[in-house]
Amino acid sequence: MKSFDPASNIQDLLQFGEYGDVNPSITDSATFTFMQAKTMADTFHGETEGCYLYSRHWNPSNKYLSDALAAMEGTEAAWVTASGMSAITCALMHEIKSGDHIVSAATIYGGTFAFLSNWMKRFNVEVTFVNISDLKSVENAVKPNTRLIYTETMTNPMLQISDIPSLSKLAHKHGAKLIVDNTFTPMIVSPCRLGADITVYSMTKFINGKNDCVAGAICSTKEYICSLIDVNSGTAMLLGPVLDPMRSSSILKNLHTLHIRMKQHSANAQYLADRFKSIGLKFNYPGVPEHPGHELLKSMMNPGFGFGGIISIDLETSERASKVMEAMEIKGVGYLAVSLGYFKTLFSNSGKSTSSEIPDDIQHEMGLSEGLVRFSVGLDNDIERTFELIKESLNE
Ligand SMILES: *Cc1c(COP(=O)(O)O)cnc(C)c1O
């Protein structure tokens, strides 16, 4: 069987504007006119395909980007949101009601962790956090009222790999759904093709890759996306975190170079991993056979995009981490900044930044060292030179 190729699927889409414009024109409009009153009424009730009503529901520019994302994921449909967090929170809230239970990976994005552990309490939704690599403990956490299993393909910042096919079987056996945040591994892994029900993204990161906006996406079946934007009961339609069409248009252009960028991010990170190994530095990267999730990721990935652009090193103490990060910034390795997937290398001390919402004892339990420095490796042309600069910074 020919392997799934997300990049070719995007390439094969015939998407052009009404004047033949190869970059589809931006539909800069909040509302849409009708020549017949009945068509408007039918559109309102979701009975007409291809008619636009109001941009919080659908906008042609958002539809182009959503269709391209669905092609990339191999899902029937997608919907784009104003941030990754709005994609995640809408997908979660659309599935649950008061009294329900969620099983979630413990090592997830700090904002998602805070939403699940703090905000969800207001609505009497119980969440059990588990070590997602331990399938037995995931199953033991499931209760009769479990509606969802939530995880990230590659968890932040420990780069643990989720066994999506097994988690999906487990969820479905208990009448629950599996939601997967695939922000770290677009193109590399296609969660819905492996059994996930819903894939969510922060497009702020690799997908857009330019750090000029925040944006998100939800990919799933057509039925699910329609229910998410139903005018009477759709969580996304009623909470309204729609993406601006101008932004959709610019993200769509960047999506067309995602495959090239992913390959380069991965190749550079793999190079650094191999060099870190050669100098005996403690590091974490799923592209080396020593990583506990290496074989699992290999079994799930689409060929050709590598093992991703995220790598972390353990500098033991936060003081040392600060010193090395400051030296790296001065020497031009990249920027001391949160976020990832940018063309320049970004690095930060996870425990003091993007994972700071996670309490110290849980950080400790998940093996998050206070000296952990996470790199989002950039598109550097000469990664050997970058390695030398990192090495110099380590010796400061
Ligand atoms: C950044 C990030 C988010 C949140 O996305 P925003 O676009 O900042 O709202 C969610 N999940 C992961 C894995 C992320 O890295």
Side-chain angles (χ1 to χ4, degrees):
M1 198 179 81
K2 209 181 157 299
S3 53
F4 184 74
D5 182 357
S8 299
N9 290 351
I10 295 173
Q11 188 189 330
D12 288 349
L13 281 181
L14 272 180
Q15 290 189 321
F16 51 84
E18 64 267 49
Y19 302 108
D21 23 345
V22 294
N23 284 314
S25 33
I26 303 171
T27 303
D28 189 18
S29 191
T31 192
F32 298 83
T33 188
F34 292 83
M35 301 312 283
Q36 272 139 8
K38 183 175 181 308
T39 322
M40 178 189 266
D42 290 349
T43 304
F44 214 89
H45 295 112
E47 286 153 19
T48 8
E49 277 246 10
C51 280
Y52 293 93
L53 180 72
Y54 187 64
S55 280
R56 174 156 40 81
H57 183 249
W58 267 127
N59 170 289
S61 301
N62 292 8
K63 186 76 165 66
Y64 285 126
L65 177 58
S66 299
D67 287 351
L69 291 165
M72 172 171 95
E73 290 307 309
T75 56
E76 289 172 0
W79 199 74
V80 291
T81 60
S83 68
M85 278 312 294
S86 59
I88 293 164
T89 53
C90 280
L92 285 167
M93 286 191 281
H94 196 58
E95 290 305 318
I96 49 107
K97 57 180 187 323
S98 173
D100 284 347
H101 175 246
I102 300 173
V103 177
S104 171
T107 57
I108 49 171
Y109 178 72
T112 313
F113 183 87
F115 181 78
L116 286 172
S117 59
N118 307 332
W119 200 88
M120 277 287 191
K121 279 200 192 110
R122 297 174 180 216
F123 295 95
N124 185 30
V125 173
E126 195 200 347
V127 185
T128 307
F129 292 99
V130 295
N131 175 357
I132 206 73
S133 297
D134 179 359
L135 290 171
K136 202 80 227 128
S137 82
V138 179
E139 179 140 39
N140 288 341
V142 173
K143 301 180 181 191
N145 59 341
T146 303
R147 295 261 64 87
L148 286 177
I149 297 182
Y150 184 89
T151 193
E152 295 173 2
T153 307
M154 186 184 285
T155 69
N156 177 37
M158 303 307 291
L159 313 186
Q160 230 180 355
I161 307 298
S162 293
D163 183 343
I164 297 168
S166 301
L167 289 169
S168 133
K169 278 194 205 98
L170 207 158
H172 296 160
K173 185 172 116 189
H174 294 280
K177 282 187 178 177
L178 176 65
I179 303 186
V180 178
D181 179 338
N182 199 44
T183 299
F184 280 30
T185 46
M187 298 222 159
I188 298 173
V189 176
S190 311
C192 285
R193 288 187 45 88
L194 298 169
D197 298 283
I198 300 153
T199 299
V200 288
Y201 277 108
S202 167
M203 295 202 287
T204 314
K205 318 295 169 54
F206 289 105
I207 291 184
N208 186 47
K210 303 294 180 289
N211 255 306
D212 52 6
C213 69
V214 288
I218 306 171
C219 308
S220 187
T221 60
K222 198 166 168 195
E223 187 189 356
Y224 176 81
I225 298 297
C226 284
S227 97
L228 195 67
I229 56 171
D230 182 275
V231 292
N232 291 308
S233 58
T235 304
M237 181 65 183
L238 300 175
L239 295 182
V242 69
L243 185 59
D244 185 84
M246 303 260 195
R247 222 17 124 172
S248 287
S249 165
S250 94
I251 296 173
L252 178 60
K253 284 174 273 191
N254 292 331
L255 183 67
H256 285 279
T257 57
L258 178 61
H259 61 296
I260 304 171
R261 291 185 281 114
M262 289 315 292
K263 287 176 193 180
Q264 186 72 14
H265 285 300
S266 291
N268 283 350
Q270 185 78 50
Y271 178 90
L272 289 182
D274 293 339
R275 296 302 300 268
F276 289 159
K277 197 193 305 190
S278 74
I279 60 167
L281 184 65
K282 225 160 119 189
F283 72 98
N284 195 355
Y285 184 64
V288 297
E290 296 83 359
H291 188 280
H294 178 72
E295 287 303 323
L296 175 59
L297 181 54
K298 245 167 96 174
S299 74
M300 296 193 296
M301 66 205 248
N302 300 313
F305 303 103
F307 290 85
I310 310 292
I311 183 167
S312 62
I313 57 175
D314 186 356
L315 298 176
E316 316 276 333
T317 64
S318 62
E319 290 74 24
R320 173 115 199 277
S322 302
K323 216 170 142 216
V324 172
M325 290 192 299
E326 284 161 14
M328 288 196 297
E329 185 155 60
I330 302 271
K331 287 179 193 295
V333 172
Y335 296 132
L336 168 48
V338 297
S339 198
L340 52 115
Y342 190 41
F343 43 75
K344 282 206 172 213
T345 297
L346 302 178
F347 41 82
S348 58
N349 180 207
S350 300
K352 298 268 183 264
S353 56
T354 52
S355 294
S356 58
E357 293 93 336
I358 300 173
D360 284 344
D361 54 323
I362 297 184
Q363 286 195 24
H364 193 77
E365 211 174 289
M366 70 198 227
L368 204 166
S369 149
E370 64 160 63
L372 192 89
V373 173
R374 182 192 75 185
F375 290 81
S376 166
V377 182
L379 302 174
D380 308 22
N381 183 47
D382 185 351
I383 193 67
E384 191 177 341
R385 186 183 67 133
T386 306
F387 170 72
E388 292 303 329
L389 295 174
I390 296 173
K391 212 167 71 175
E392 280 174 28
S393 309
L394 288 169
N395 294 330
E396 289 274 304

